[in-house]
Structure formats: structure tokens, C-alpha cells
Amino acid sequence: MRLSTLVASAAIALATAFPALADALTIYSPQGGERAAWIAEQAKAAGHDIKLLNAGGGELFDRLLAEKNNPQADVVLGMVDTSMALLKKEGLFQAYTPTWAKDLPTQFQDMDGMVYKFWQTPIVLAYYPDKLPVAEAPKSWLDLTKDQYAGKYVIGASAWQTTRMYLAGILVRFLDTSGEVSDEGWDFLSKLYAGAVVVNDADSQIEAFKSGRASIDLNWLGGTFKLAKDLGAKVKVVESDGGTPVISEGVAIMAGTDQLEQAKAFVDWFGSADVMAVYAEKFGQVPLLPEALAKSPVAVQENAKLVKPQPIDWDAIAPKLDGWLQKIELEIR
């Protein structure tokens, strides 16, 4: 899920569709680039005056906490399970049930009525068969520390949502009886980083594959397909032993907003089946609403069945993830 570069100041200001005296609805989201532009364009066409502040998921999370006593956002859109769970726990959100929420599968509804999920994203292990023959490809995330894969896979910045999620997916395989990562798990992660091409920005990530150094992609599904398209190469997704981390992204209204009615209207519009189906057609994302999925292209419906989800209790992981990432940054990376 690297959905943007870390540019916290980047914002898309739209021409107002409401009366001149009304303030634009400020939305914090890791949705960047073409996706941010699409959301802005569609929102404007639907009569929503928004200002979209885009940055990496980790940076936005920190910013939201820093602004807790003086919130600047009205809506948070597109952050992953763990981040949304922690922000809710900090009291940043208020209850609101979108008009479309009643049709969501139960596991994507929030029992507190604050955070509702709208699409899901597998965080995949993939490879390029023109560089790595099928018979030699990894069968699992745990295969990556084998000698033959050294220097062939890329680990992104820990501020990227995608990186955070696959690292979490790996570490939960090594939880001890107390729910903490075992020494074996940290040893594995040290070996994983030692054999990786470690990058901090999108250009370096792409260059690692263009140069021929890398042939294994650790990425969110849409990012894997986009990278393959940019490289003009075919990519194959691994049905990993032990499953594939699958995350969902949510939307919530900030407790401190002074534009509650505009925020409710935007959330009702954005998560609706029709908007999600159009988004799925445009970007290949898998919507969670059954009606939206049924309206999505066949390829998107097939992607919904592409991998077996890894069993992960994201709510249980959420309070621990920052500590894990801090240890990675200070002791391993």
C-alpha cells in the first residue's frame, strides 16, 4: 500500500461547489496521485467541496495525533485497520452510520459505529517470471530469507502503509504465548532486512526493478499490477503458504469537525455502491459492498478470490505495531 510519497503539505484544493461563505471539507487521506485527483474530481462533480490533504499513512497518523487538541481535518479516508483502530481509541472520531453501512458484511462494520470499511487490499508477495523462473519462486513470505533471494526483493519505508502491513503479517507468525514477537521472529526480520534492497522513496523502488536487481515485489495488489505495467512486464502473485495479509481501509468523521452535515453527506456519497463500483473499474480495487462488487469488472471480482487471507486480528495487533516498527527502525533497519 504505498499510496503516496511523504509530502504532508501536498493538498488538492477544489473550486467550491457550495456557497462562497462555506468552508471546504478537509479530508486527510493516504490516497495520492491519480487516485487523489480522481476523488477530488468526482467529489466536485457530485457537489462536494473538499480539500484533500495527502501524505503517507504513517505520517498522517502522527499528524492526526499531534492535532488531537486542535483538529484540522473533518474526515479521515483510506487509512488501514490498525491506524483507524488506534485513532478511534484516542477519541478522534465520532459516531455516524453511513447510509450504505447496513449492507456491509458484519466484519467490516464497527460495533462502536465510528469506522466503516469500504474496500479491501491484499498485501501480496509477487515475482517476475521473466527474471525468476516459476520453479524457483518463493512459496511463502518466510522463504525470503533463503540465500537465493538475497538482493531480489525490496522493502519500502516503514512510514508506508503497505510496508507496515506486510511486516506485521510476518511478525504475527512469530507470536509467543503472551502475544509478543519471539526472539525467533526478530532474528527472522533481521535476516529479512539483511537480504533486502531497502528503499525510502518510490523512484528508488522502481529503479531497483528497472536495474534488474529486484525480481520479487512486496506490495499491495494494485501497486503490484501498476508496477508491472510501468515495467512492461508480466507479474505473478504467490498464493503464500500461511495466507496473505488482507487489509481493509475505512472512513470516519472527526470528533472536532464543525462541518458535520457536509462530512456526513460526503461519507454517504463516497462509500455508496455506485461510487465504489466506478472506483473499482478505474483502479481495480476490490469493494466490500456486495452490490458494488457485483457491479465491478470481472477482473476485480476474480481478484477478490485471488489469495487466501492470512488470519490476523488487526485490532489486537494495532496497539503493538508502533513498538514493533520502532524496534525495526532503531535496531534492525
Side-chain angles (χ1 to χ4, degrees), residues 40-55:
E41 177 185 335
Q42 297 296 314
K44 181 181 179 181
H48 299 281
D49 181 20
I50 70 170
K51 181 173 64 176
L52 190 64
L53 184 80
N54 159 239

Side-chain angles (χ1 to χ4, degrees), residues 232-248:
K234 292 184 178 181
V235 69
K236 187 172 179 63
V237 173
V238 175
E239 175 61 279
S240 174
D241 294 342
T244 294
V246 176
I247 59 173
S248 52

Side-chain angles (χ1 to χ4, degrees), residues 108-125:
F108 301 116
Q109 296 186 29
D110 181 9
M111 65 179 180
D112 297 314
M114 295 184 186
V115 179
Y116 289 88
K117 312 298 173 60
F118 46 85
W119 60 59
Q120 62 182 348
T121 304
I123 307 298
V124 299
L125 173 63

